[in-house]
Amino acid sequence: MAIRFYNSLTHQTEEFQPLEPGTVRMYSCGPTVYDFAHIGNFRSFLFADLIRRFLEVMGNEVTHVMNITDVGHMTDDQVADGGGEDKMEAAAKRLKEDKKSGRVPDGAIENPDDPYQVADYFTKAFLEDARKLGLKIAFEYPERIPHATAFISEMQEMISQLIDNGHAYVGPDGAVYFSVESFPEYGSLSGNTLEQLREGSGGRVEETNQAAKRHPADFLLWKPDQSHIMKWDSPWGTGYPGWHIECSVMARKILGRDIIDIHTGGEDLIFPHHECEIAQSCCASGKEHFARFWMHARFLMVEGEKMSKSKGNFYTVRDVLGGKVTGREVHPAVLRYELLRSHYGSNMNFTEKGLKDSATAVRKLNEFNTMLEQKTGGQAAEIDNSHPVLADFLNALSDNLNISGALGVLFPWMSGPHDNPQESLAVLRTINRILDVAPMEHAADLEEEASGGDEFDVKALCKGIDDARASKDYAKADEIRNQLQAAGYEVRNSPEGTVATRQLA
RNA sequence: GGUGCGGUAGCCAAGUGGCCUAAGGCGAUGGAUUGCAAAUCCAUUAUUCGCGGGUUCGAAUCCCGCCCGCACCUCCA
């Protein structure tokens, strides 16, 4: 079955074929490293991970690149004078407070005033979160996860190129701007036209900032600014690059092509970020396309509301895993599944209930896996993607990553008969190359840690329940059971006696 | 105001002209099991697809109008 994806660029679902058969080049807009990434960021990153894993199971080699934005952009970089507070400075201030209050472990960061240390601190945190959640690309750092600050000279090359071929100019204020009027396609991704942008800018863009630009939508490529905390020498003065250019440059450089297959990001990036990337890349390369497929994940809501710090419903990955939502530790596989299980093209509503539902699903999948492993001794049959269950599962995903349809294949199959466990194990293993929740390979260490660091002897308590039951002392058995449950364990009977396992969420 | 996405059971959600008297999951209810629970298994759980028209032999699916939600147009995944 043909793979079909919704392409934001053409506003329709189209058949996907990589430019070079069997090899997919894909770029995803990654995190800024002035703070911890939140679950909304990760929904977008996991969406990219899903595409990648799916394409791999479908037989493609996928070269995936994701950037780390460590250039300390001004909060108001969008406007020409680059006003506002520097994000790196803001992060430094925050870190100093956190250091004082002990939230930052000793030695984790020496000098918060050094933007490179701030970036390094949050990059490490990002990679840690990403690995827990099974983002494949996080295991390919640093080769596939470049830092913007490592590509300043390449950015300058592209800026020069754009000036040379008439797509950019140095304004009266000394800054370099991209001329949107030089690129007729500008606006096609977001559905904007230059006229609408001109009108839409009324009242929102301050006149003083517009004076240097030829068109209100012209955007910054290089800003000479001696006062900026991170700055580099350039032909246009010491300063810093515009906030769109890094993606154009790193995608071309690391993927090695002017035209790549897929570019992903959150929906908010459609305009202006991706619109600007397209303009820069196409004008620099002279090619008709930058990415052939643009795919965007819709925003995540929390309990029906937009996630925001002021509403108090703002969660980082570590918040959720640490129990801020459910009141107890959450297994990373549960968060992965929760963020993955709804279609990327719709807003997803992140709820405590949803998270607990996901815990049940993940638990069932893991028990199913354990059962098959035991029955087969880990020996899986040889199968390929034409296996009927796999074919149905992959067909669903082929239809614009219809994850619900795919899960609608998985669950009934799972609870049906499994006369050939070796074959079933092979099916599950293939599906798990995509879902990565049963077992969740990258969380293995964490699991051991959790069961090893307990304050009491779970096995002895289970034995206590069995002994009490054997002597019909049910009050005692119930008491121990309650104790275990209160500590976050699920307690179950089995032919081998009572077993207690940690609740996943 | 402009642009885009969406509105299907208590909740999440698939399905885009007949195989739909609408998949799957969660939840709920009844039953089996259990010392009681939990887990597991079995059964039940939308005659109806935001609202109103229309096209058609036939519509959740196509067309027109309306209502509602979300997003972007400003830093944000």
Side-chain angles (χ1 to χ4, degrees):
Chain A
M1 187 186 179
I3 296 171
R4 296 173 61 80
F5 289 146
Y6 180 83
N7 189 352
S8 305
L9 190 63
T10 56
H11 311 288
Q12 38 183 284
T13 305
E14 299 173 336
E15 182 171 344
F16 174 78
Q17 293 272 14
L19 219 44
E20 185 183 318
T23 304
V24 178
R25 291 178 175 82
M26 169 168 157
Y27 186 93
S28 300
C29 283
T32 51
V33 283
Y34 328 118
D35 205 346
F36 296 110
H38 60 253
I39 53 177
N41 299 129
F42 268 93
R43 153 125 140 135
S44 165
F45 303 150
L46 281 166
F47 147 66
D49 189 61
L50 177 65
I51 297 174
R52 177 206 176 140
R53 287 169 176 268
F54 165 65
L55 289 172
E56 285 176 346
V57 168
M58 294 299 278
N60 297 284
E61 183 105 1
V62 180
T63 310
H64 187 196
V65 171
M66 177 184 273
N67 63 300
I68 296 258
T69 298
D70 57 353
V71 175
H73 293 297
M74 293 295 183
T75 47
D76 295 348
D77 266 359
Q78 178 63 352
V79 294
D81 70 352
E85 191 180 21
D86 186 298
K87 286 179 182 171
M88 275 300 175
E89 283 179 29
K93 214 180 289 175
R94 242 184 1 255
L95 275 175
K96 278 185 214 165
E97 278 163 26
D98 284 0
K99 238 185 140 167
K100 247 184 260 168
S101 66
R103 262 175 295 182
V104 176
D106 281 342
I109 180 161
E110 286 300 319
N111 176 16
D113 285 321
D114 177 352
Y116 287 94
Q117 287 192 30
V118 172
D120 186 55
Y121 176 73
F122 287 115
T123 299
K124 280 189 180 133
F126 164 72
L127 290 172
E128 196 182 304
D129 291 345
R131 285 173 184 163
K132 274 188 192 166
L133 293 189
L135 274 193
K136 250 183 141 168
I137 196 164
F139 296 90
E140 298 166 343
Y141 180 83
E143 301 79 35
R144 300 269 190 261
I145 307 186
H147 289 253
T149 48
F151 289 83
I152 300 292
S153 62
E154 285 86 349
M155 293 188 213
Q156 294 183 357
E157 275 168 40
M158 190 178 273
I159 294 169
S160 295
Q161 209 173 353
L162 289 169
I163 294 174
D164 290 347
N165 56 27
H167 292 290
Y169 59 93
V170 179
D173 58 349
V176 184
Y177 295 101
F178 184 92
S179 167
V180 293
E181 286 161 309
S182 75
F183 183 60
E185 306 298 310
Y186 191 83
S188 63
L189 177 71
S190 57
N192 284 314
T193 64
L194 287 182
E195 271 314 300
Q196 280 161 5
L197 287 170
R198 200 189 288 273
E199 285 165 22
S201 71
R204 274 190 265 269
V205 181
E206 286 172 47
E207 281 304 312
T208 49
N209 298 328
Q210 291 302 323
K213 298 199 270 183
R214 293 179 189 168
H215 186 280
D218 286 355
F219 56 91
L220 197 66
L221 294 174
W222 189 267
K223 174 77 179 173
D225 182 356
Q226 290 285 353
S227 68
H228 200 266
I229 188 168
M230 291 174 112
K231 53 179 184 260
W232 296 265
D233 290 335
S234 87
W236 316 283
T238 301
Y240 60 94
W243 62 293
H244 308 299
I245 194 81
E246 64 180 67
C247 291
S248 286
V249 164
M250 295 191 289
R252 171 152 84 169
K253 185 83 184 176
I254 299 173
L255 291 170
R257 300 289 157 110
D258 287 327
I259 303 178
I260 65 173
D261 293 304
I262 301 175
H263 192 127
T264 73
E267 62 172 321
D268 57 316
L269 260 30
I270 294 172
F271 189 88
H273 185 54
H274 288 166
E275 198 77 75
C276 295
E277 279 187 45
I278 292 173
Q280 292 163 346
S281 290
C282 289
C283 291
S285 70
K287 301 278 167 54
E288 192 185 345
H289 287 297
F290 171 29
R292 296 163 55 242
F293 276 75
W294 288 81
M295 297 174 72
H296 295 96
R298 300 257 151 220
F299 260 59
L300 173 141
M301 319 282 289
V302 172
E303 305 287 352
E305 289 188 296
K306 185 169 175 171
M307 182 165 66
S308 72
K309 285 182 177 165
S310 58
K311 278 183 184 141
N313 61 356
F314 186 93
Y315 298 122
T316 63
V317 168
R318 37 240 294 152
D319 286 339
V320 175
L321 298 184
K324 193 171 170 188
V325 176
T326 55
R328 63 165 57 95
E329 276 186 38
V330 172
H331 188 107
V334 172
L335 183 55
R336 176 180 169 89
Y337 182 89
E338 171 68 6
L339 293 175
L340 221 46
R341 69 169 171 153
S342 59
H343 189 86
Y344 76 91
S346 308
N347 293 119
M348 100 155 256
N349 190 16
F350 181 88
T351 61
E352 181 179 351
K353 185 178 179 297
L355 200 59
K356 288 187 168 164
D357 288 355
S358 290
T360 305
V362 168
R363 200 203 75 232
K364 282 185 181 175
L365 283 165
N366 275 287
E367 284 172 356
F368 178 59
N369 174 251
T370 305
M371 183 271 286
L372 290 176
E373 288 282 351
Q374 282 169 355
K375 273 195 180 168
T376 58
Q379 283 294 316
E382 292 271 324
I383 57 161
D384 61 30
N385 289 352
S386 67
H387 183 284
V389 174
L390 267 185
D392 285 351
F393 185 87
L394 295 173
N395 274 346
L397 291 179
S398 297
D399 179 17
N400 194 26
L401 296 177
N402 182 352
I403 186 75
S404 301
L407 295 175
V409 172
L410 173 60
F411 282 97
W413 168 73
M414 187 170 81
S415 54
H418 292 276
D419 302 329
N420 185 342
Q422 298 196 337
E423 188 180 304
S424 296
L425 182 62
V427 170
L428 182 64
R429 280 185 179 172
T430 304
I431 288 174
N432 199 51
R433 280 177 62 198
I434 296 174
L435 297 182
D436 196 19
V437 296
M440 190 164 157
E441 296 153 38
H442 312 308
D445 311 345
L446 190 121
E447 222 163 345
E448 277 167 29
E449 203 178 288
S451 55
D454 286 326
E455 65 279 18
F456 48 55
D457 191 339
V458 175
K459 272 197 180 138
L461 289 171
C462 288
K463 178 88 171 21
I465 292 176
D466 289 335
D467 291 347
R469 291 182 68 207
S471 57
K472 295 207 184 336
D473 185 355
Y474 296 123
K476 169 109 185 183
D478 288 350
E479 189 196 317
I480 302 175
R481 185 169 68 197
N482 288 338
Q483 189 188 346
L484 277 164
Q485 282 172 342
Y489 285 84
E490 293 181 50
V491 182
R492 268 179 264 164
N493 287 340
S494 79
E496 293 82 37
T498 300
V499 180
T501 50
R502 247 193 195 287
Q503 283 197 354
L504 295 174

